[in-house]
Amino acid sequence: MTTIAVLGNGHVGGNLATALTRAGHEVTAVDRAPGAAADAARTAQIVINATPGAGALERLTALRQELQGKILVDVSNATLDGPDGLPGDLIYPGSSLAEQLQVALPDTRVVKTLNTMLFPVMTAPAALSQTPTVFLSGDDPQAKQVIGGLLAELGWQQEWITDLGGIETARATEAAILFVPHVIRSSGFAPFAISITR
C-alpha cells in the first residue's frame, strides 16, 4: 500500500482517487486550497497533480518543502482557455509544464503521464475499442518504474506503456492536447486516447 495525495478533486482527480483507493492504496484527494494541499502532500509518498495546468506551476512551487524527496506525477496540460471552454494554446511552447516543474522543484522526482487521453481512459484503458498508449517522461528511472506499477494497477498492460525518456520528452505529449478541441468538436465528448500502433 502506498500513501498517495491527489491534488484536485474534479473529474480527473476524483476518477484517479477512486481507482487508486480501489487498488488498495491510502489516497487523500483535496481541492486546490493551499492548506489542504500542503497537508496532503506532506504525508504522502506520491503526489498526483490533477489541478488545471494553467496555475499548476505556481501552486506546486509553493509546496516545495512538502514535495521534497517525493514523486510528483503530473497528469495536467498547461493551456490557455480556448473557445467553448476547451483547451487553447500551450502556455509553455518549446517547453512543458513538467519541465518547468522539475526546474522549480529540483528535489522532487517529476513524472509526466496520463495526459494524452480523456479522463475516463486513465482508469479504464481496456474500455476503448483499440489499444491505447500511455507515456512516461521523467529523469528518474526508479520513479518511472514506481509509476509504471501504479499504471498497471489502473489497467494498463505493460505493452501499452511507453517510456519516452527524460522530462524534456513531456513537451511532445503535452502538445498532444492541441488535438483535443478539434477531436471533440468533430466527434463529440467520447473517451479517446493517443495510440502508437506498430
Side-chain angles (χ1 to χ4, degrees):
M1 182 183 73
T2 304
T3 304
I4 301 171
V6 180
L7 307 184
N9 57 3
H11 290 307
V12 175
N15 184 43
L16 287 170
T18 298
L20 290 168
T21 299
R22 192 179 300 124
H25 300 288
E26 183 181 332
V27 182
T28 302
V30 298
D31 60 21
R32 286 178 268 170
D39 289 343
R42 187 179 296 111
T43 58
Q45 296 165 284
I46 296 172
V47 177
I48 298 175
N49 173 43
T51 67
L57 181 59
E58 181 181 2
R59 281 190 294 273
L60 292 166
T61 299
L63 301 176
R64 183 182 289 110
Q65 183 174 349
E66 290 83 359
L67 292 170
Q68 190 170 4
K70 309 288 177 70
I71 297 175
L72 174 63
V73 182
D74 181 32
V75 304
S76 65
N77 292 298
T79 65
L80 300 170
D81 290 334
D84 309 319
L86 295 174
D89 291 336
L90 298 173
I91 291 177
Y92 305 109
S95 182
S96 65
L97 172 59
E99 290 172 88
Q100 300 294 317
L101 287 170
Q102 189 61 87
V103 170
L105 303 167
D107 298 321
T108 301
R109 296 174 289 167
V110 179
V111 177
K112 188 81 177 191
T113 192
L114 290 173
N115 63 309
T116 56
M117 61 202 69
L118 292 192
F119 76 89
V121 183
M122 295 178 177
T123 58
L128 294 182
S129 60
Q130 298 178 36
T131 300
T133 303
V134 65
F135 303 97
L136 289 168
S137 298
D139 293 337
D140 189 294
Q142 193 268 340
K144 287 190 288 187
Q145 184 176 12
V146 170
I147 301 310
L150 285 185
L151 291 174
E153 293 179 340
L154 294 176
W156 291 91
Q157 297 183 25
Q158 186 60 45
E159 60 269 26
W160 300 352
I161 302 172
T162 298
D163 185 344
L164 294 177
I167 199 67
E168 72 280 357
T169 64
R171 66 184 65 176
T173 61
E174 287 191 25
I177 191 68
L178 298 177
F179 278 103
V180 171
H182 308 299
V183 172
I184 290 175
R185 290 188 188 106
S186 173
S187 307
F189 198 86
F192 70 89
I194 300 296
S195 180
I196 303 298
T197 58
R198 294 182 173 87

